Amino acid sequence: MSSILKNITMAALEPSLLRSKFRGSLLGALIGDCTGSPYEGETITAGEKIIIQRYFDKLEEPNLNLKTPFRAYTDDTAMTKSVAKFLIDKPEPDYGFLARLFVNDYFKEPRRGYGQNVVDVFHKLKTSKFEDVFKPAAEQFMGSGSYGNGGAMRIAPIGLYYHNNYKIMIKVATQSTKITHTHLLGINGALLQCMAVQQALMLDPQKKLDPRHFCLELYLKMKEVEKTEEDGEDESDFTSRAYQEKLKVVERLLGKPHDDNLDDEVIRNLGHGISAYESVPTAIYCFLKTQNESCGIMTDNLLRRTIQYAITLGGDTDTIASMAGAIAGAYLGEDAVNSSIAKHCESYKEIAELADNLFEARGGSLVSE
Ligand code: AR6
Ligand code: MG
């Protein structure tokens, strides 16, 4: 194991702070999903950015009565809930159990905006009676597998639960992703998002974060992941080093002062699409960029700032805002969650409870390698 992996801080966090961070992360993911989904697939103009600013200002009003009481969540949250339950209900990872949770949820509520590939995989899993839970996904796209961001969008519970057991975190994140996504870019995108959540969780929310340092640490970890990826031998250089290269771009963009043209450059260089490659580095950038108050978003609340900024980039808004929200919430904890905004999100109480159950299932922060 390289020095970067050996040096990952294993210091136990104070239990009440850790519990708060579990809640912050899962609620951040939920809020990003629910507030982002109305803008999915849009190109956001300067005028719309102002409308989004007003939309969030309004959601923050404590006595706001909306005709529709809540913003519905999408497949991002549905699948995140399943991943959390998989960790809570079984002492050892049981991927057959996780596959059944995904499939049961999908057939109960199919209209949550699932990607077409995962829908195919769910049908095949059901028809095959879950005989080999990794086979259907591996067969998709003529054997190359999906590179969608569906593995990354649901990974936060794994980064939280295994936060002080890095090696197992990587293993469980990889295997759980492979139930639906087997393309190297889909898997490594999920690993990058998982590492970002874990890294954010380990930070002291009272201390100002150094965005470029956070990015460099992720880059070094990603270099390790992309180097040791066995399947990478047959892949092009581009695919097997893709995320290292993207993180260099994130670092470069973080060095630029905010202006009206920068968002277009971010979209052009990092992307805002449904592939993991064009969305996970973007979510990380959203989190890091909004640590600086001059990022074009008018609010002191760092969690809202991250989520709102992610939405203003357009494209796959719910998933990018959800991933960015999961990272920001893991850093900041529940104190950063604006309760007025949260209460407009479907199932926010259930998600807070799920975060507590995930925390309890872990036995606090006591288990380490
Ligand atoms: N070759 C060609 N197209 C691909 C490939 C590939 N190897 N992999 C993915 N696609 P999917 P997700 C395209 O279905 O990742 C939802 O809104 C293909 O068009 O695996 O779970 C979620 O909330 C495929 O249908 O879904 C996410 O935001 C699409 O990518 C987003 O969609 C999505 O891959 C992705 O969810
Ligand atoms: Mg989505």
Side-chain angles (χ1 to χ4, degrees):
M1 201 192 290
S2 83
S3 56
I4 181 73
L5 298 191
K6 268 191 213 148
N7 288 338
I8 288 166
T9 327
M10 293 295 171
L13 291 163
E14 205 260 309
S16 63
L17 176 60
L18 192 59
R19 179 191 288 271
S20 161
K21 281 169 167 275
F22 274 47
R23 276 188 170 222
S25 182
L26 294 196
L27 287 170
L30 174 76
I31 295 169
D33 181 15
C34 293
T35 56
S37 70
Y39 297 94
E40 191 179 5
E42 287 191 20
T43 306
I44 308 291
T45 61
E48 272 153 341
K49 285 181 188 172
I50 297 170
I51 294 170
I52 293 170
Q53 174 73 32
R54 292 201 190 122
Y55 165 61
F56 272 89
D57 288 346
K58 216 167 154 199
L59 286 178
E60 274 189 354
E61 287 171 19
N63 299 319
L64 176 70
N65 275 321
L66 293 170
K67 266 195 224 134
T68 324
F70 58 70
R71 298 285 175 263
Y73 67 69
T74 74
D75 58 331
D76 302 60
T77 301
M79 297 188 84
T80 301
K81 280 167 65 178
S82 290
V83 172
K85 281 183 200 147
F86 147 78
L87 298 167
I88 293 164
D89 287 1
K90 299 279 175 183
E92 291 297 321
D94 178 344
Y95 301 103
F97 178 65
L98 179 58
R100 281 185 172 78
L101 289 174
F102 286 155
V103 170
N104 290 346
D105 265 10
Y106 167 72
F107 282 100
K108 234 189 281 163
E109 296 182 318
R111 292 178 197 283
R112 291 276 187 192
Y114 289 88
Q116 191 48 54
N117 159 69
V118 287
V119 171
D120 285 353
V121 170
F122 292 159
H123 278 99
K124 287 178 186 168
L125 283 167
K126 199 175 178 192
T127 310
S128 69
K129 298 197 168 54
F130 300 89
E131 195 189 356
D132 176 350
V133 292
F134 299 109
K135 196 166 165 230
E139 288 171 352
Q140 295 300 103
F141 301 103
M142 304 205 310
S144 67
S146 173
Y147 50 59
N149 56 22
M153 75 186 183
R154 65 183 192 232
I155 210 78
I158 296 177
L160 303 176
Y161 188 81
Y162 291 112
H163 68 274
N164 55 1
N165 203 331
Y166 188 81
K167 264 201 303 193
I168 295 186
M169 177 188 90
I170 295 290
K171 194 171 162 204
V172 177
T174 305
Q175 294 304 100
S176 68
T177 299
K178 282 183 173 175
I179 297 171
T180 50
H181 293 70
T182 62
H183 194 289
L184 194 59
L185 290 177
I187 296 169
N188 285 350
L191 292 182
L192 178 57
Q193 171 66 11
C194 191
M195 294 186 308
V197 168
Q198 187 269 354
Q199 200 173 291
L201 177 118
M202 302 308 287
L203 296 174
D204 181 350
Q206 305 295 333
K207 289 194 186 139
K208 204 166 159 43
L209 178 153
D210 178 344
R212 292 171 90 171
H213 184 264
F214 189 97
C215 188
L216 175 68
E217 214 176 308
L218 272 184
Y219 169 81
L220 294 173
K221 289 176 191 164
M222 203 64 228
K223 215 172 160 187
E224 203 65 36
V225 165
E226 292 186 323
K227 192 176 80 187
T228 57
E229 182 55 65
E230 288 159 23
D231 303 341
E233 284 167 15
D234 295 336
E235 300 281 342
S236 68
D237 255 14
F238 156 74
T239 308
S240 55
R241 298 173 47 84
Y243 290 101
Q244 293 168 58
E245 297 305 319
K246 274 269 161 138
L247 286 167
K248 284 188 200 162
V249 179
V250 170
E251 210 259 342
R252 180 173 62 75
L253 289 168
L254 286 171
K256 294 197 160 198
H258 179 76
D259 69 39
D260 290 345
N261 299 322
L262 186 57
D263 290 353
D264 287 339
E265 197 180 335
V266 170
I267 295 166
R268 265 198 320 277
N269 288 278
L270 294 178
H272 62 175
I274 57 171
S275 75
Y277 177 66
E278 292 173 316
S279 56
V280 176
T282 315
I284 291 165
Y285 173 78
C286 290
F287 165 60
L288 295 176
K289 179 194 167 79
T290 52
Q291 299 308 307
N292 187 334
E293 61 186 23
S294 54
C295 60
I297 306 293
M298 284 167 286
T299 173
D300 290 338
N301 181 309
L302 273 178
L303 180 62
R304 170 182 160 184
R305 211 192 276 168
T306 296
I307 289 172
Q308 187 180 325
Y309 176 72
I311 296 170
T312 63
L313 292 180
D316 193 5
T317 46
D318 53 346
T319 297
I320 299 175
S322 181
M323 294 191 294
I327 304 168
Y331 167 46
L332 299 163
E334 196 189 8
D335 288 353
V337 176
N338 180 296
S339 59
S340 299
I341 297 181
K343 77 169 194 259
H344 294 300
C345 298
E346 180 183 1
S347 299
Y348 84 96
K349 283 189 180 157
E350 188 197 331
I351 296 295
E353 222 170 273
L354 196 66
D356 288 348
N357 292 339
L358 188 66
F359 171 79
E360 297 296 343
R362 186 71 182 111
S365 63
L366 302 176
V367 187
S368 63
E369 267 181 277

